[in-house]
Amino acid sequence: MSDSLQANYAPIPSVLSENRTGITIGALKQAFLDSLFFVQGKPVALATQHDYYMALAHLVRDRMLYRWNSTAESYTQDRSRTVCYFSAEFLMGPHLGNNLINMGIYDQVKQAIEELGLDFDALLAQEEEPGLGNGGLGRLAACYLDSLASLQVPSLGYGIRYEFGIFHQEIRNGWQVERTDKWLRYGNPWEVARPEWAMEVKFGGQTEAHVNDQGQYRVHWIPEREVLGIPYDTPILGYKVNTANTLRLWKAEAIESFDFAIFNQGNYYGAVEEKVSSENLTKVLYPNDETLAGKQLRLEQQYFFVSCSLQDMFRILKGQNIPIEKFPEKFAIQLNDTHPAIASAELMRLLVDEYHLDWNLAWETTQKTLAYTNHTLMPEALEKWPVSLFGKLLPRHLEIIYEINSRFLDLVRMRFPKDTKRLARMSLIDESGERYIRMANLACVSSHTINGVAELHSELLKQTVLKDFYELFPEKFCNMTNGVTPRRWIALSNTRLTQMINQHIGDSWLKNLGELQQLESLAHDPGFQEEWRQIKQATKRDLSSRIHNQFGILVDPASLFDVQVKRIHEYKRQHLNALHIITLYSQLKQNPNLEVTPRTFIFGGKAAPGYHMAKLIIKLINSVGSMINKDPDLHNQLRVIFLPNYNVTNSQRIYPASDLSEQISTAGFEASGTGNMKFAMNGALTIGTLDGANVEIRQAVGADNFFLFGLTAEQVTQLKAEGYKPRDYYESNPYLKDAIDLIASGHFSQGDTDLFKPILDKLLNVDPFMLMADYQSYIDCQQVVGDAYRETGHWTYMSILNSIRMGNFSSDRSIQEYCQNIWKVSPSPIVLDNSAKSEQMIGGELACKLRGYQE
């Protein structure tokens, strides 16, 4: 316990107004101490670092609550049109630092905590990262919630409150090992449970049809089982505005969690069996779906959160006295990929079966409400569910999908007579073997707008996986290039750079990222360049220290930090990066005097538990790194580091310290990417293909400030059509052959020639992602990168331009386009009488309202 903290400690409540809303240093210090005593229930003598973090979190949450409650009240009174963002993932990252930035009190709170003798950064590090997402899909959803609040757009994020995240990754002997991600083990101070708004969700059973007294056809679903969905709300605060929107996540619970009669019979497990079974629904993000049981659980998860969310929206509609027919005027639902695509069938079920709308009116309502974002160009990544499983789990929805499909195929027949192949491709049911429901087709049919997430991606959607739907519904298609929030990815992640920029142009650029271009006149200035360079070096030293502390490996901060951090997947081509490293290693072993630019190669990312090839790529990278890092002949010119458990917390340390951003996916496979944007915003230069948003980033920063290599998407398609033979590249390229043979010899696997054989066999005989074809172009481009890095002044100039020309890649721009072109929704600013209104005033207003309601 620090002397300062002990001296300030007094377990006496401060004036409530200051305790709950004050932002002076004195008020913050007293509020912290009050939270420690009255919320954590700990005297200073017994408090842990986690207790200090929780006290700080509750201090901050107190200062958010007036905005949060006022926002909800304003939306209710105004009956504001609301964006509902449906996503199976919300990779939020730690809340504390981000909330301090958005409230504009980061510096005050830091000072208050440090005056109490505590380490502010250590308290920030105490926060468990919410395990609610895996990769880009979930992080995009989080950035969009930040921008919706910052732009003062009424919104609700709807998803699942996973008890355990994807997994905690450890690296043992070079292999990925999955450990349970217990992110909720110490509680979550940011969420508020709302059990009074619980929703019942049905599964299984059968349906019964009848004609009522009015001659109307009706269907009654008799479920086999039901579960409760309990909402947990988290405030999402906008940047320096009064708006605090809501992320509403659903936890599954049993309708009856304890059977007293069964317990008294001595069947103690049976008494809680329903509780265990029900709660399994929201236990884990993305259960392994290789088994039928895994597939069923994943489908149950998707339907569960969609059904809860739609029922909740009807609850809101009723509370605001809005007629059912005006559902699409009140709500705009965005489907973040196909995971929530079951929303169309569930919305139809609710409208037709529960609210008794005519089918045609219900279908019109559904189509006016839903919009669909596609995130993949790979047909195998578009979700499909076996009809047998779907019908067993959701019998009423299968009937509804059959009806939607029947009416839709009639439309296709009218537009394209006698085109049976087109009918088969566009049908919501895949009849080619075992029958499947195509969720992307369902989303396309039932949505008023379909968007890709980068210009290239949107064009390729029209030409490939959704070509038939584009030809039928060209008016539905548009592009919405992804963006990321500069509040987290610059202001919070790179405080040194943020302070430097603020000194030159103020801080309004954080709400209008395009203002960074005001710095372009300074890009050539030697003093400005030196300041920029010193900031980059400082962040690299920070990361070097972490690497040394974690791995015992000394990394030279002056070396080129060459970084590839993202989900491990063959199309993202981490193994192409590895081949370059092996080539450099081999050249240095053959010629120790060869001049190469010293490099530190940094990798990070998780492989799906059932994706063996991705796990083997992780093993290859670590095996190569193990050999290189201990080879004295290399004189520390090369270092290879695999940082385990890549997540938001770790990425915030990596992006600011990176010199080179590896965006090397096969052209035509990456939908957009958002890591590429975060790297560039922090001054890293990109080596990449013309894939996803790389195309637009290159246009924005300038072709001279981007390292381009590889085949284009058109060339990839053409080469495959001509009969691509990867082994020919191996036979004709001595550097490539040497790298492949070195792996095959067991050099990196302690003589085991079989370990990496699956990777090599696939590269030599199939190579679906064209590594062999792009290898030499990549090697040549990397040579250009190394030469450029040695030209320190020009590299810094390019780094500056990469950062300050990224204004178009703010998620604020993305959300503004969604609002204008898809959702048709406007900002609804929240006006507070006084954002620091006293507790006494709030209590007085509440008493008046209660009297009014009673009267």
Side-chain angles (χ1 to χ4, degrees), residues 517-778:
Q517 289 200 273
Q518 297 174 37
L519 296 170
E520 190 142 351
S521 61
L522 295 172
H524 274 302
D525 180 82
F528 187 81
Q529 285 189 3
E530 180 60 24
E531 190 178 3
W532 189 276
R533 192 159 43 245
Q534 289 301 321
I535 287 171
K536 177 65 74 172
Q537 285 304 115
T539 58
K540 291 173 71 176
R541 285 194 296 271
D542 290 345
L543 186 57
S544 299
S545 295
R546 284 187 171 276
I547 290 170
H548 182 252
N549 292 336
Q550 188 168 359
F551 303 104
I553 299 173
L554 290 172
V555 167
D556 182 4
S559 65
L560 191 162
F561 278 22
D562 184 333
V563 184
Q564 188 174 19
V565 288
K566 55 182 67 200
R567 184 166 50 92
I568 309 295
H569 197 290
E570 289 169 275
Y571 88 82
K572 295 178 185 289
R573 303 201 295 191
Q574 284 90 352
H575 44 339
L576 175 59
N577 192 345
L579 287 176
H580 170 237
I581 297 170
I582 293 168
T583 297
L584 282 178
Y585 165 76
S586 183
Q587 290 173 342
L588 282 169
K589 292 294 285 183
Q590 294 170 29
N591 180 8
N593 296 319
L594 182 69
E595 183 181 17
V596 300
T597 301
R599 293 202 195 209
T600 299
F601 295 92
I602 298 173
F603 293 86
K606 297 178 180 180
Y611 191 175
H612 176 70
M613 191 64 75
K615 288 185 167 183
L616 196 57
I617 289 171
I618 291 176
K619 173 62 174 173
L620 174 63
I621 292 166
N622 281 294
S623 297
V624 171
S626 178
M627 179 67 70
I628 286 175
N629 294 340
K630 65 186 180 185
D631 192 330
D633 295 344
L634 301 183
H635 305 293
N636 300 331
Q637 289 173 287
L638 302 180
R639 283 282 186 259
V640 181
I641 309 295
F642 192 100
L643 297 175
N645 204 43
Y646 178 67
N647 56 15
V648 174
T649 302
N650 290 326
S651 66
Q652 289 176 197
R653 300 164 182 148
I654 296 170
Y655 290 126
S658 303
D659 294 308
L660 186 68
S661 162
E662 296 270 356
Q663 306 299 329
I664 60 176
S665 54
T666 314
F669 282 85
E670 187 72 84
S672 168
T674 53
N676 47 8
M677 302 170 189
K678 298 162 196 169
F679 276 112
M681 283 181 182
N682 283 279
L685 276 62
T686 303
I687 181 169
T689 55
L690 288 177
D691 195 29
N694 288 356
V695 178
E696 293 158 77
I697 290 175
R698 182 169 178 262
Q699 291 169 350
V701 304
D704 293 340
N705 306 306
F706 185 105
F707 298 104
L708 177 66
F709 79 96
L711 301 169
T712 65
E714 293 80 5
Q715 289 169 335
V716 167
T717 301
Q718 182 179 353
L719 186 55
K720 286 186 175 181
E722 292 171 353
Y724 174 53
K725 297 179 180 178
R727 190 174 289 272
D728 290 350
Y729 293 86
Y730 163 80
E731 298 290 355
S732 62
N733 189 317
Y735 294 111
L736 176 57
K737 187 174 190 301
D738 180 65
I740 294 291
D741 289 350
L742 200 58
I743 298 171
S745 72
H747 183 78
F748 300 108
S749 50
Q750 299 179 316
D752 185 346
T753 57
D754 292 327
L755 180 59
F756 299 119
K757 195 170 185 295
I759 293 176
L760 301 182
D761 285 348
K762 195 166 185 180
L763 288 178
L764 289 168
N765 300 315
V766 185
D767 192 21
F769 303 112
M770 319 293 274
L771 271 78
M772 312 296 262
D774 273 349
Y775 167 84
Q776 191 58 51
S777 176
Y778 181 58

Side-chain angles (χ1 to χ4, degrees), residues 151-177:
L151 294 170
Q152 304 178 90
V153 176
S155 69
L156 274 164
Y158 279 117
I160 300 175
R161 183 183 180 268
Y162 302 101
E163 183 177 344
F164 304 112
I166 183 87
F167 58 83
H168 180 94
Q169 182 195 53
E170 296 178 3
I171 301 298
R172 295 188 184 176
N173 191 30
W175 291 99
Q176 170 178 293
V177 176

Side-chain angles (χ1 to χ4, degrees), residues 87 89-92 132-143 336:
S87 182
E89 298 183 37
F90 285 96
L91 191 57
M92 301 305 297
L132 299 169
N134 177 28
L137 183 84
R139 187 51 233 174
L140 180 76
C143 284
N336 192 28

Side-chain angles (χ1 to χ4, degrees), residues 254 256-259 262 267-280:
E256 291 292 340
S257 60
F258 185 79
D259 193 313
I262 290 179
N267 185 356
Y268 302 136
Y269 176 77
V272 295
E273 185 175 7
E274 185 178 348
K275 172 181 170 65
V276 172
S277 174
S278 297
E279 292 183 0
N280 276 341

Side-chain angles (χ1 to χ4, degrees), residues 287-431:
N288 190 342
D289 61 359
E290 291 184 320
T291 65
L292 183 61
K295 286 183 173 65
Q296 176 170 326
L297 179 54
R298 190 162 174 177
L299 178 56
E300 286 176 347
Q301 285 184 338
Q302 293 178 8
Y303 174 66
F304 167 76
F305 99 81
V306 163
S307 179
C308 286
S309 304
L310 286 170
Q311 291 184 68
D312 189 59
M313 292 161 69
F314 280 105
R315 178 191 63 79
I316 293 170
L317 214 64
K318 181 179 180 181
Q320 297 181 12
N321 295 314
I322 299 174
I324 298 298
E325 293 80 3
K326 294 189 178 294
F327 191 93
E329 296 177 30
K330 170 62 182 176
F331 296 115
I333 297 176
Q334 191 69 34
L335 306 176
N336 192 28
D337 214 1
T338 54
H339 308 126
I342 189 64
S344 60
E346 173 65 357
L347 184 52
M348 285 296 292
R349 183 189 73 83
L350 290 167
L351 291 170
V352 173
D353 293 355
E354 303 295 331
Y355 294 98
H356 306 308
L357 262 64
D358 169 76
W359 176 280
N360 291 329
L361 178 56
W363 182 240
E364 180 184 353
T365 300
T366 297
Q367 285 190 308
K368 284 182 176 180
T369 302
L370 300 179
Y372 163 52
T373 299
N374 174 283
H375 285 279
T376 185
L377 289 162
M378 294 188 286
E380 64 272 19
L382 297 175
E383 276 192 318
K384 300 193 301 182
W385 297 111
V387 167
S388 56
L389 170 64
F390 196 97
K392 175 186 174 185
L393 197 65
L394 302 170
R396 178 55 179 146
H397 298 77
L398 183 60
E399 294 173 354
I400 290 170
I401 288 172
Y402 280 154
E403 183 65 21
I404 293 171
N405 196 41
S406 175
R407 295 173 184 234
F408 168 64
L409 292 181
D410 283 344
L411 174 62
V412 177
R413 290 186 186 95
M414 286 188 285
R415 287 288 304 276
F416 303 99
K418 300 181 180 179
D419 193 341
T420 55
K421 290 183 178 179
R422 184 184 297 268
L423 281 170
R425 293 193 304 267
M426 298 186 74
S427 173
L428 306 187
I429 312 298
D430 182 349
E431 308 270 8

